[in-house]
Amino acid sequence: TVDLAVAWLGIQMDNPLINASGVMCRTVEELEALRHSAAGALITKSCTLEPRKGNPEPRYASTALGSINSMGLPNAGYRYYLDYARRYDHEHGKPLLMSVSGMSLEDNLEMMAAFDEAALPVLVELNLSCPNLPGKPQIGYDFEASARLLAEVSKVYRRPFGVKLPPYFDPVHFGEMADVLDGCPSIGFVTCINSIGNGLVIDLERESVVIRPKDGLGGIGGDYVLPTALANVREFARRLPGRHVIGCGGIRSGREAFMHILAGATVVQVGTCLYEEGPACLARIRDELVYLMQDKGYRTLTDFRGRLRTL
Ligand SMILES: O=C1NC(=O)NC(C(=O)O)N1
C-alpha cells in the first residue's frame, strides 16, 4: 500500500495536492467545493486590503499547452477571507492556507497584523509575484524590497509564514533570493512558482491578442512552465534545506506531481489544470501518483522526495 500523508509546519495532509492560489478559491462557494474535493489542503485567492474587481475582461485564456491570465487580483478583500477562516472547522477540516497580496507595504503590514491578531491555525502565503498589476513590478524581482518587506512583516506576524515566488531564470538570482529568505527566520516555506509573467499569446486567425489587459501580456501557466517550475523547486530546496518548498507549475497528472516532489517539493499546487478540468482532476492526479509510486516500488513520499539524480 502507498501512504500519501504529509506532516509539515504543524499541519497534517492526507495527500500532497493543494489548489494554486487564485484558482477556484475566490468565493466561499468555490472554497467549500475545494474542501469537499480530493485536495489535501486549500488556499484562498490572494487578498488585498479592500475588495477588487480586477482587470477588464477577457483576462484569462487557455491554449493547447496551458493558460495566460491577467486577472489583476480580483478578490473580496482580506476581511472576507479572514471571516471564512474564523468560521472554518480547523479541528476536523483540511488545512487552510491564506494568500495575501497587498498593493503596498502598508497594506501588507495592516493585513498581516490582522492575521496575527486573529491567531488562527492557518498558514499564510505572502504573494511576492503577481505579474498583472499594470505599472506595478513583481516584488520578488527586487531583492532589497523583498528583504525589507519580509523584515517588516516578521515584526507584525509572529509565526512562520511562506512566500509565493516568481520564477527565476539565473543561478545568480536563485542565490540572491535564497539569501534574502535565509535571512528571514519566519519563512517556513516558499512556493515556486507563480506564473511566468508577461507572456503574449496570439490568435492567428484573428491576428489578435487573446486577453484585454496590458495589450495582451499575461502570466503563463500550464505545460509551458513545467521545466522552469522544476528548476526553481530544485534550486530553492537545495539552498534552503531547513524550509519547505511547495511546488507549483505544470502539474496535470501524477507524473508532474512526482517530478516536483522528486525535485524537493514537500507538497504541490495545481493551477491551470484545476481551472480547466475542475476539482475532479485532484482525485485523478492523486490516484495517478499512487499508481506511479507503486510501479516504482515507493511506499511514502519521503522514499523519493528530493532524490533527483544528477549525471
Ligand atoms: O499572483 C498572481 N498570479 C497570476 O498569475 N495571476 C493573479 C492575478 O492576476 O490576480 N495573481
Side-chain angles (χ1 to χ4, degrees):
T1 56
V2 161
D3 177 7
L4 292 182
V6 188
W8 64 289
L9 277 189
I11 65 175
Q12 307 282 335
M13 293 170 60
D14 63 11
N15 78 68
L17 301 177
I18 310 173
N19 64 298
S21 176
V23 181
M24 214 180 139
C25 58
R26 197 182 337 159
T27 65
V28 167
E29 291 70 27
E30 288 182 319
L31 289 161
E32 285 298 284
L34 266 181
R35 192 167 66 83
H36 290 103
S37 76
L42 46 150
I43 186 167
T44 58
K45 167 68 184 175
S46 292
C47 61
T48 50
L49 198 63
E50 302 304 333
R52 284 177 57 86
K53 288 193 184 62
N55 291 339
E57 295 180 326
R59 60 194 187 184
Y60 176 94
S62 66
T63 72
L65 295 177
S67 65
I68 183 168
N69 91 83
S70 183
M71 309 304 283
L73 290 177
N75 75 97
Y78 85 99
R79 295 175 186 81
Y80 177 93
Y81 303 100
L82 199 46
D83 184 53
Y84 177 73
R86 287 191 214 284
R87 290 179 285 112
Y88 193 85
D89 177 5
H90 300 278
E91 180 70 26
H92 307 102
K94 300 174 176 181
L96 180 64
L97 287 79
M98 318 274 309
S99 176
V100 172
S101 189
M103 300 298 283
S104 67
L105 172 64
E106 294 71 25
D107 285 7
N108 272 317
L109 295 180
E110 185 168 341
M111 288 189 283
M112 292 301 278
F115 274 89
D116 189 74
E117 176 67 26
L120 294 161
V122 300
L123 278 179
V124 171
E125 182 183 88
L126 183 62
N127 187 353
L128 304 183
S129 43
C130 179
N132 300 322
L133 299 172
K136 288 183 80 73
Q138 292 162 264
I139 307 171
Y141 287 145
D142 180 337
F143 301 116
E144 281 89 43
S146 294
R148 261 196 316 280
L149 171 61
L150 296 180
E152 291 304 310
V153 166
S154 302
K155 291 177 196 163
V156 300
Y157 190 80
R158 270 71 60 94
R159 286 180 294 150
F161 64 97
V163 288
K164 177 75 168 279
L165 297 179
Y168 299 94
F169 300 91
D170 185 301
V172 168
H173 299 157
F174 292 136
E176 292 209 29
M177 193 56 188
D179 288 347
V180 168
L181 298 167
D182 195 39
C184 181
S186 300
I187 300 292
F189 70 94
V190 298
T191 303
C192 299
I193 59 173
N194 206 318
S195 56
I196 297 181
N198 298 294
L200 182 63
V201 167
I202 290 177
D203 176 330
L204 194 58
E205 286 65 49
R206 293 190 180 86
E207 300 178 13
S208 167
V209 303
V210 297
I211 56 173
R212 180 184 303 277
K214 295 173 64 175
D215 286 348
L217 295 183
I220 302 296
D223 296 357
Y224 300 109
V225 312
L226 180 64
T228 296
L230 292 173
N232 278 261
V233 166
R234 205 276 300 273
E235 295 302 312
F236 281 101
R238 269 182 170 174
R239 288 174 171 76
L240 300 169
R243 326 296 174 95
H244 293 278
V245 177
I246 298 184
C248 184
I251 295 174
R252 60 157 144 125
S253 81
R255 288 180 299 285
E256 299 81 28
F258 186 96
M259 291 178 204
H260 269 268
I261 296 167
L262 187 66
T266 298
V267 292
V268 298
Q269 293 177 350
V270 181
T272 297
C273 178
L274 177 59
Y275 189 104
E276 292 299 318
E277 187 175 327
C281 78
L282 297 171
R284 173 178 61 76
I285 293 169
R286 178 202 60 202
D287 295 345
E288 288 166 346
L289 177 59
V290 167
Y291 302 143
L292 188 54
M293 288 171 66
Q294 282 171 334
D295 289 351
K296 289 169 169 286
Y298 294 123
R299 203 181 63 75
T300 68
L301 300 176
T302 50
D303 290 346
F304 65 96
R305 179 177 291 120
R307 307 232 182 156
L308 175 64
R309 295 191 179 98
T310 53
L311 300 177

